[in-house]
Amino acid sequence: MKTDVYFAKDGPSRVIAYKNAKNQNVFLQIGRAEYAPSIQSILICDSQYDIEKVIENAFQYTLTEVKNIEIGIKQKYIWKPLLQQNIQKELDFDVPELYRAKRNLSILMQKLQELLLYVEPSSEGLKAYSHKIKETLILACTELENYFKIYELGKNKRTADYIKILELVDLTKYKISLVGYINPYKCCPFENWNTSGTTQSISWYDAYTKIKHNSNKDFHLATLENCINAISANIIMFAIRYSPISLYNEFDTCSQLTRGSVDFRIEDTEDIYIPIYEGKKSHVGSFDVPYIFKNGESIHYTYDIHEQISFIEGPIK
């Protein structure tokens, strides 16, 4: 569905608004927009209200732009912020697949914790290298390649193929930092990934390929820093395939290990899905219950049931 979409902000919060196919005004209030954007509340009202005026006078947000774009569209097997409902159905995975991915990630997280028992992730410690770190780096990069192969990009054999995933999702905004340290190490594994050097532009992966082909010469590249980046890349790709909700909102071993070890952020991203919602009334008279804003402004003719329409797969971000 192509429509005018209104974007507004107020500090770390955002409002995204549009008119749906039923001629209803939909307002999505987005919280934690600067590092973990998610829908905090939904308002659907009758179209007699002007969207811009509601944003400026009722929400009291600053309108930043209006775009005529497609909404309700997703990419196959790709999670993005604001995809929060029907995760398993929308991302098309089954429970055994999810559990297998969690077991794989659990092994990497356990190995990371073991390494951090012996080497501090300080500026000096990050340069440390060893056979144990080499083993973990190779395992992490091998698992990462398996994630990329899910998407069947190009010939599906090397980074020149894998980098095409950047056309589907902006991985450069995904950041991981260690928790439990005074000065936690923070990384953005895919930040510098580019087509001019599809392997060389991600130094930790380049280190892996060099070690794999000539360990005697390049053993010194098996550093703690490269290993942390490779494991962080796995966390990011897990989130892309299964959503961070499947990781951080659960209580299994993998989720507990991950929550206790690293912080997951998507900083200042504009690469999101915009879901389509439609309003319904639950019973006679509910349409007359007003929605009261913090400043005392009110709107009548609101819908108390918000039904999300399933996403359609397509090439549009």
Side-chain angles (χ1 to χ4, degrees):
M1 172 185 173
K2 193 170 186 179
T3 186
D4 287 340
V5 180
Y6 299 74
F7 296 87
K9 67 179 181 178
D10 178 37
S13 299
R14 304 285 187 271
V15 163
I16 297 175
Y18 57 83
K19 196 180 298 293
N20 64 24
K22 289 189 173 182
N23 203 32
Q24 301 166 337
N25 291 341
V26 179
F27 299 87
L28 307 178
Q29 194 159 7
I30 313 301
R32 300 173 297 184
E34 296 175 343
Y35 63 92
S38 61
I39 299 171
Q40 302 294 306
S41 65
I42 302 170
L43 169 64
I44 303 178
C45 67
D46 190 75
S47 61
Q48 68 175 281
Y49 293 97
D50 182 86
I51 288 179
E52 286 193 36
K53 289 182 179 179
V54 171
I55 289 174
E56 294 173 353
N57 300 331
F59 281 101
Q60 293 190 310
Y61 279 38
T62 301
L63 185 66
T64 55
E65 61 180 334
V66 181
K67 296 180 181 178
N68 186 254
I69 56 176
E70 293 278 359
I71 61 174
I73 303 250
K74 67 175 182 182
Q75 281 80 50
K76 187 176 183 179
Y77 300 154
I78 297 280
W79 176 88
K80 292 182 185 181
L82 308 194
L83 197 166
Q84 298 173 209
Q85 296 184 16
N86 305 318
I87 297 292
Q88 185 177 334
K89 177 183 176 183
E90 294 287 8
L91 295 179
D92 191 19
F93 61 82
D94 57 29
V95 173
E97 178 188 347
L98 174 63
Y99 284 177
R100 183 168 57 252
K102 284 196 168 189
R103 284 194 294 272
N104 292 339
L105 185 56
S106 292
I107 291 170
L108 290 176
M109 298 309 300
Q110 288 170 345
K111 288 183 176 294
L112 174 60
Q113 289 189 338
E114 288 176 14
L115 293 175
L116 295 177
L117 287 175
Y118 299 97
V119 186
E120 188 75 7
S122 61
S123 56
E124 297 83 5
L126 290 170
K127 300 174 184 177
Y129 57 93
S130 72
H131 286 284
K132 194 69 175 178
I133 296 174
K134 169 192 166 186
E135 172 191 285
T136 307
L137 174 64
I138 291 174
L139 176 61
C141 288
T142 302
E143 290 294 338
L144 183 67
E145 290 169 344
N146 289 330
Y147 273 115
F148 286 131
K149 288 182 184 300
I150 292 172
Y151 300 98
E152 300 181 350
L153 302 162
K155 294 182 179 179
N156 215 23
K157 292 183 177 180
R158 52 184 182 168
T159 52
D161 302 314
Y162 304 150
I163 197 172
K164 294 177 182 178
I165 197 171
L166 295 183
E167 298 173 10
L168 304 176
V169 56
D170 184 7
L171 296 178
T172 66
K173 300 294 185 179
Y174 288 72
K175 300 186 178 183
I176 301 290
S177 59
L178 299 179
V179 300
Y181 297 92
I182 295 175
N183 296 306
Y185 176 70
K186 184 176 182 179
C187 64
C188 184
F190 300 106
E191 185 174 25
N192 298 312
W193 203 9
N194 63 73
T195 54
S196 62
T198 55
T199 297
Q200 294 77 13
S201 58
I202 38 179
S203 58
W204 51 270
Y205 188 88
D206 188 37
Y208 151 71
T209 59
K210 288 178 178 176
I211 292 167
K212 185 172 64 172
H213 292 109
N214 194 340
S215 181
N216 289 331
K217 176 185 176 184
D218 297 309
F219 179 56
H220 66 284
L221 297 176
T223 64
L224 179 62
E225 182 171 22
N226 284 333
C227 189
I228 293 174
N229 271 273
I231 293 174
S232 296
N234 273 267
I235 296 171
I236 291 168
M237 291 309 298
F238 178 98
I240 294 300
R241 177 64 187 96
Y242 303 104
S243 88
I245 299 169
S246 298
L247 186 59
Y248 277 84
N249 288 20
E250 303 296 334
F251 297 95
D252 54 82
T253 300
C254 180
S255 297
Q256 291 177 354
L257 280 170
T258 307
R259 279 198 304 269
S261 302
V262 299
D263 179 46
F264 178 94
R265 289 178 173 245
I266 315 170
E267 295 191 351
D268 298 318
T269 185
E270 295 183 359
D271 187 22
I272 61 174
Y273 291 140
I274 300 178
I276 298 175
Y277 282 92
E278 293 181 352
K280 293 183 178 180
K281 295 185 289 182
S282 61
H283 61 275
V284 176
S286 65
F287 201 55
D288 296 324
V289 177
Y291 183 96
I292 310 297
F293 292 85
K294 291 180 180 180
N295 64 350
E297 291 282 332
S298 64
I299 285 182
H300 291 267
Y301 311 112
T302 62
Y303 297 86
D304 58 337
I305 296 178
H306 309 141
E307 184 177 274
Q308 183 182 322
I309 308 302
S310 295
F311 282 94
I312 297 173
E313 288 183 3
I316 302 172
K317 287 189 177 183

